[in-house]
C-alpha cells in the first residue's frame, strides 16, 4: 500500500472495548468541519517493520471539567484502529496516510 505523508507519531494509546485502539495525538476539528472517515494507513513501527491497517478518524467529545476550556479542547478528531492492539501499534510508531488527509488536519500556516 502506498501512502503519501506522515499523519502522526504515536505518543500514547489506549484500548477501549467495542471501539478499538485510540492513538494520541488527536487533532483540532478543521474550520470547515470533519466527516467521519475510514482510510488505508501504514504503520511504521519503531523496530522498522510496517503494517497495513485501517484507520478511523472521527470527531469525539471530551468531557473537560474546566469551564473556561476552549471548544477546541472539547471536540477533537480522534484516530482509531478498530482492529489493532497496543502491541501491534507501539508508542513511537509513525502513521502514514494520504497527503490530502494530512493537509486537511494540519493547521494553516501564515
Amino acid at each position: 500500500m502506498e501512502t503519501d505523508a506522515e499523519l502522526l507519531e504515536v505518543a500514547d494509546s489506549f484500548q477501549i472495548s467495542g471501539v478499538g485502539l485510540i492513538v494520541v495525538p488527536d487533532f483540532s476539528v478543521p474550520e470547515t468541519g470533519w466527516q467521519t472517515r475510514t482510510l488505508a494507513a501504514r504503520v511504521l513501527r519503531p523496530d522498522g517493520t510496517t503494517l497495513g491497517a485501517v484507520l478511523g478518524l472521527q470527531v469525539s467529545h471530551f468531557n473537560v471539567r474546566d469551564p473556561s476550556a476552549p471548544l477546541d479542547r472539547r471536540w477533537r478528531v480522534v484516530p482509531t484502529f478498530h482492529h489493532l492492539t497496543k502491541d501491534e501499534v507501539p508508542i513511537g510508531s509513525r502513521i502514514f496516510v494520504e497527503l490530502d488527509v494530512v493537509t486537511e488536519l494540519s493547521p494553516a500556516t501564515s
Side-chain angles (χ1 to χ4, degrees):
M1 164 192 2
E2 283 298 317
T3 51
D4 298 345
E6 184 173 343
L7 177 64
L8 64 93
E9 181 174 329
V10 178
D12 201 0
S13 65
F14 50 97
Q15 201 86 38
I16 297 180
S17 179
V19 174
L21 180 68
I22 309 296
V23 296
V24 175
D26 51 27
F27 300 91
S28 296
V29 177
E31 288 184 18
T32 57
W34 186 261
Q35 293 291 340
T36 295
R37 51 186 94 164
T38 303
L39 54 133
R42 180 172 52 94
V43 178
L44 175 59
R45 300 175 185 144
D47 68 5
T49 61
T50 60
L51 172 68
V54 175
L55 178 68
L57 292 167
Q58 63 276 337
V59 174
S60 293
H61 181 263
F62 289 75
N63 188 10
V64 179
R65 295 178 188 252
D66 178 0
S68 65
L71 282 178
D72 183 54
R73 291 306 318 149
R74 297 175 188 278
W75 293 97
R76 305 290 291 170
V77 176
V78 177
T80 306
F81 291 102
H82 299 287
H83 303 291
L84 296 179
T85 65
K86 289 176 117 180
D87 290 337
E88 293 171 302
V89 186
I91 294 185
S93 295
R94 295 168 50 206
I95 311 303
F96 293 83
V97 297
E98 297 173 5
L99 178 59
D100 62 335
V101 173
V102 174
T103 301
E104 199 173 346
L105 287 172
S106 297
T109 56
S110 25

